[in-house]
Amino acid sequence: MEKENRISSRIYQAVAVLLCLVMLSLWMLGNVYARYTTESSGGDTARVAAFVFQLADGSGSQMIDLKNVQKPGDTCEYHFTVSNEKDSKVNEVTTEYTIGLELTGSMPLECKVTEVDPEGSGISKEMCKVKSFGDDAVLAQESAAVTFAPAEALEKNYVLSVSWPSKEADAKYANTSGTSLLVLNVNAKQTD
């Protein structure tokens, strides 16, 4: 019996020692966890830079009326403006844009976009040009990129000229069912 009491006593002692070790381990893990959990608070504000790009024409129309171009020698013009300012807001990022022309159809047309000189010096800069006749027909073209600097109000005026050249008076164009479609694209993107 004494032997059984000794074994029981040793088992209780082993259980007590293991229980103490478990408690000690849990206490140590609690302290380790507490070291790696912290709380932080703070604040910050930011705003997005304004992107303003305005394309406008004098009449507010999105259609270019080519009804006046019906025979050799006829021409018409379409005026439009590109700006980085609208409603007193100026673009705050660098912006690039290109002007493109696409021409399809059976009429012999020559179309070009020209930048109008704001000072009236008479010097104009051709941006892009397409034509739908002859061996060197060019049906689509895009201008070089034009850059607007940030935070500086700028405006550029352009004229789209559409003409039926006088030298293209061939009898094959006498058909009244001739049609053409001209698409003017102004593509803008933020560069910074």
Side-chain angles (χ1 to χ4, degrees), residues 63-112:
M63 297 294 293
I64 301 169
D65 189 7
L66 300 178
K67 289 180 185 174
N68 295 331
V69 182
Q70 297 181 359
K71 64 185 184 308
D74 287 349
T75 63
C76 71
E77 289 184 345
Y78 174 75
H79 298 265
F80 64 99
T81 302
V82 177
S83 174
N84 67 346
E85 179 182 23
K86 181 179 181 183
D87 301 329
S88 300
K89 292 182 182 175
V90 178
N91 194 1
E92 296 176 338
V93 295
T94 303
T95 306
E96 275 187 359
Y97 69 92
T98 57
I99 299 172
L101 290 174
E102 297 175 30
L103 180 63
T104 58
S106 59
M107 296 173 67
L109 297 179
E110 183 174 82
C111 311
K112 65 181 173 179

Side-chain angles (χ1 to χ4, degrees), residues 53-55 80-84 94-100 115 127 142-148 154-158 185-191:
F53 188 80
Q54 176 75 12
L55 175 64
F80 64 99
T81 302
V82 177
S83 174
N84 67 346
T94 303
T95 306
E96 275 187 359
Y97 69 92
T98 57
I99 299 172
E115 181 182 356
M127 300 301 290
E142 189 171 77
S143 72
V146 178
T147 303
F148 279 158
L154 295 170
E155 180 177 280
K156 299 225 179 222
N157 296 306
Y158 297 98
N185 291 309
V186 179
N187 297 310
K189 67 179 179 178
Q190 176 181 333
T191 59

Side-chain angles (χ1 to χ4, degrees), residues 135-166:
D135 295 335
D136 57 347
V138 177
L139 300 176
Q141 188 181 39
E142 189 171 77
S143 72
V146 178
T147 303
F148 279 158
E152 180 183 340
L154 295 170
E155 180 177 280
K156 299 225 179 222
N157 296 306
Y158 297 98
V159 175
L160 168 60
S161 304
V162 180
S163 64
W164 184 331
S166 297

Side-chain angles (χ1 to χ4, degrees), residues 4 7 11 16 19 32 35 51 77 102 128 140 150 167 192:
E4 283 180 23
I7 292 175
I11 290 175
L19 185 60
V32 169
R35 282 188 217 150
F51 180 79
E77 289 184 345
E102 297 175 30
C128 57
K167 63 183 176 184
D192 63 348

